[in-house]
């Protein structure tokens, strides 16, 4: 294939130049230069944070439940394990102790805690206070997933906004799965935006007005995303998170996540990363820990799992993901997931 400028040069050499020809050539060269600069500018704007932003964009969550807790000392409560969920707690008044495994933290006003694996933990007003399961303590229910808890011995008050949320999208689940078992964000000058959200939550919780549950739960969702973003800003740039932050691999991942049904190849992903095919393949495997096409297939099968849970047929999912036949999709799904689509659908039902 010959490039346009070569065809142009051949044509020009075969005829006599005029002043108009010269001006036209200059105009064409200028147009090409402007187009090239625009292309480079667009590429330069695709920063390493683009792929991280894509991951954050899909952190849409559904609440297992949210709870505003008005607690008076002495008090204690055990939060059960919630596999597949992320626990969060915000202290909007007072203080308390948090026990997660062998870790013991004292939380104060404005502190935020995330427990990404949904592991069980204990909260108390002071050490050694009895801590029954929070599920055994009477709640005032308001809607299907919001409750008000008033509990304790009548002493100093602590107010918490708590919840357990879950994520559906594969990118969100992958990201949350990489978070540490405990994220504690104390009040500090560096957490200004987080504290703005905390203040809004505290104000809404203090005086529940009509629609307050909806406002509070949405603010809590925003807070969780802000807290994860704050952690990402200081997280080690290794593994999948390192791949997202990489200027070239991250750009390819962002495009894949935006359009997983495209007929991706190593060459097309390398083009997105502005790398040679061999250099991209080697760097992708080094950072991510698996080959690019293995990642593409696994990503699609995660999407397929979600679609099966939503009730989509195998034929429809196969077509959506670009497979030529239902059988080819089923073979790929079974190889990656470890069971056929029919079994995965029954399990998700």
């Amino acid at each position: 294939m010959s490039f346009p400028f070569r065809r142009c040069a051949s044509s020009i050499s075969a005829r006599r130049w005029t002043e108009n020809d010269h001006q036209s050539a200059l105009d064409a060269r200028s147009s090409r230069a402007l187009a090239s600069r625009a292309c480079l500018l667009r590429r330069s704007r695709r920063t390493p944070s683009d792929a991280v932003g894509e991951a954050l964009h899909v952190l849409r969550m559904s609440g297992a439940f949210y709870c505003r807790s008005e607690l008076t000392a002495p008090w204690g409560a055990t939060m059960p394990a919630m596999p597949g969920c992320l626990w969060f707690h915000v202290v909007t008044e007072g203080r308390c102790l948090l026990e997660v495994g062998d870790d013991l933290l004292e939380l104060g006003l404005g502190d935020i805690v995330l427990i990404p694996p949904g592991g069980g933990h204990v909260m108390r007003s002071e050490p050694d206070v009895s801590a029954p399961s929070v599920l055994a303590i009477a709640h005032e229910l308001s809607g299907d997933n919001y409750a008000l808890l008033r509990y304790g011995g009548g002493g100093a008050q602590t107010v918490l906004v708590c919840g357990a949320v879950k994520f559906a999208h594969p990118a969100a689940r992958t990201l949350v799965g990489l978070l540490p078992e405990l994220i504690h964000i104390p009040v500090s000058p560096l957490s200004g935006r987080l504290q703005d959200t905390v203040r809004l939550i505290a104000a809404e919780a203090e005086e529940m007005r009509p629609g307050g549950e909806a406002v509070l739960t949405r603010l809590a969702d925003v807070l969780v995303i802000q807290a994860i973003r704050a952690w990402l800003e200081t997280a080690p740039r290794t593994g999948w998170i390192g791949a997202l932050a990489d200027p070239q691999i991250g750009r390819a991942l962002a495009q894949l996540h935006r359009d997983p049904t495209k007929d991706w190849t190593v060459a097309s992903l390398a083009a997105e990363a502005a790398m040679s095919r061999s250099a991209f393949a080697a760097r992708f495997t080094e950072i991510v820990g698996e080959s690019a096409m293995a990642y593409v297939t696994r990503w699609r099968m995660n999407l397929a799992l979600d679609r099966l849970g939503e009730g989509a047929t195998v034929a429809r999912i196969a077509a959506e993901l670009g497979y030529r036949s239902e059988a080819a999709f089923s073979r790929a799904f079974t190889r990656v997931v470890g069971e056929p689509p029919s079994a995965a659908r029954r399990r998700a039902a």
Side-chain angles (χ1 to χ4, degrees), residues 188-213:
S188 75
L190 300 178
S191 61
R193 291 182 180 177
L194 276 165
Q195 290 308 312
D196 288 342
T197 307
V198 170
R199 281 190 286 271
L200 288 171
I201 288 174
E204 195 65 38
E206 184 177 356
E207 183 182 353
M208 292 295 287
R209 291 169 289 179
E213 295 92 343

Side-chain angles (χ1 to χ4, degrees), residues 301-318:
M301 295 308 108
N302 282 332
L303 293 172
L305 273 170
D306 285 343
R307 297 289 286 126
L308 286 168
E310 294 167 1
T313 65
V314 173
R316 181 172 181 177
I317 297 170

Side-chain angles (χ1 to χ4, degrees), residues 40 76 90 120 145 171 175 183 189 204 220 341:
L40 288 172
V90 185
N145 65 346
L175 176 58
I183 297 176
E204 195 65 38

Side-chain angles (χ1 to χ4, degrees), residues 233-252:
E233 289 173 354
T234 59
R237 292 296 192 249
T238 58
W240 191 68
I241 292 174
L244 292 179
D246 184 87
Q248 293 171 297
I249 302 301
R251 188 159 60 232

Side-chain angles (χ1 to χ4, degrees), residues 1-342:
M1 175 180 176
S2 62
F3 290 97
F5 72 82
R6 290 177 181 164
R7 292 197 298 271
C8 180
S10 175
S11 174
I12 289 174
S13 65
R15 62 186 174 85
R16 187 182 178 127
W17 275 42
T18 67
E19 184 174 327
N20 287 338
D21 291 330
H22 182 70
Q23 186 61 47
S24 297
L26 288 175
D27 291 344
R29 186 181 302 171
S30 177
S31 296
R32 287 194 298 271
L34 288 172
S36 177
R37 287 175 188 169
C39 180
L40 288 172
L41 182 60
R42 284 193 298 272
R43 284 187 176 273
S44 69
R45 285 173 178 165
R46 293 179 181 177
T47 64
S49 63
D50 283 347
V52 177
E54 286 293 312
L56 289 171
H57 176 70
V58 296
L59 282 177
R60 292 182 293 272
M61 57 199 81
S62 58
F65 75 90
Y66 302 84
C67 181
R68 175 174 180 259
S69 301
E70 298 175 0
L71 306 160
T72 54
W75 62 270
T78 298
M79 312 296 169
M82 299 279 285
C85 291
L86 177 150
W87 277 104
F88 72 89
H89 302 284
V90 185
V91 183
T92 62
E93 183 180 338
R95 52 166 295 283
C96 65
L97 299 176
L98 169 69
E99 301 170 21
V100 182
D102 295 331
D103 293 322
L104 176 63
L105 289 176
E106 181 171 355
L107 305 179
L109 178 63
D111 280 10
I112 304 160
V113 172
L114 304 184
I115 303 172
H121 53 284
V122 179
M123 305 188 79
R124 312 176 198 262
S125 58
E126 53 205 65
D128 301 324
V129 173
S130 175
S133 170
V134 71
L135 301 179
I137 302 172
H139 292 67
E140 297 178 23
L141 296 177
S142 177
D144 294 332
N145 65 346
Y146 184 84
L148 173 61
L149 172 65
R150 292 189 174 99
Y151 175 68
Q157 179 166 271
T158 298
V159 178
L160 304 172
V161 174
C162 312
V165 296
K166 55 187 176 182
F167 304 89
H169 194 282
R173 290 199 301 267
T174 301
L175 176 58
V176 172
L178 294 173
L179 299 178
E181 292 186 358
L182 174 65
I183 297 176
H184 174 214
I185 303 177
V187 176
S188 75
L190 300 178
S191 61
R193 291 182 180 177
L194 276 165
Q195 290 308 312
D196 288 342
T197 307
V198 170
R199 281 190 286 271
L200 288 171
I201 288 174
E204 195 65 38
E206 184 177 356
E207 183 182 353
M208 292 295 287
R209 291 169 289 179
E213 295 92 343
V215 172
L216 199 57
T217 55
R218 282 162 177 76
L219 285 172
D221 290 350
V222 169
L223 185 75
V224 169
I225 293 174
Q226 287 179 320
I228 292 175
R229 182 171 63 184
W231 179 81
L232 281 172
E233 289 173 354
T234 59
R237 292 296 192 249
T238 58
W240 191 68
I241 292 174
L244 292 179
D246 184 87
Q248 293 171 297
I249 302 301
R251 188 159 60 232
L253 285 175
Q255 293 300 323
L256 166 62
H257 295 164
R258 288 173 192 153
D259 187 9
T261 64
K262 182 177 176 178
D263 187 18
W264 291 107
T265 62
V266 175
S268 61
L269 287 168
E272 292 291 344
M275 299 175 70
S276 71
R277 184 184 184 281
S278 57
F280 172 82
R283 184 164 178 78
F284 190 101
T285 302
E286 177 187 358
I287 296 177
V288 180
E290 64 182 331
S291 71
M293 295 315 297
Y295 181 92
V296 170
T297 301
R298 182 167 59 82
W299 191 260
R300 288 172 174 164
M301 295 308 108
N302 282 332
L303 293 172
L305 273 170
D306 285 343
R307 297 289 286 126
L308 286 168
E310 294 167 1
T313 65
V314 173
R316 181 172 181 177
I317 297 170
E320 288 175 350
L321 294 178
Y323 283 85
R324 292 185 176 86
S325 70
E326 187 175 331
F329 164 75
S330 295
R331 286 194 296 271
F333 186 95
T334 303
R335 184 178 69 253
V336 173
V337 178
E339 60 182 355
S342 57

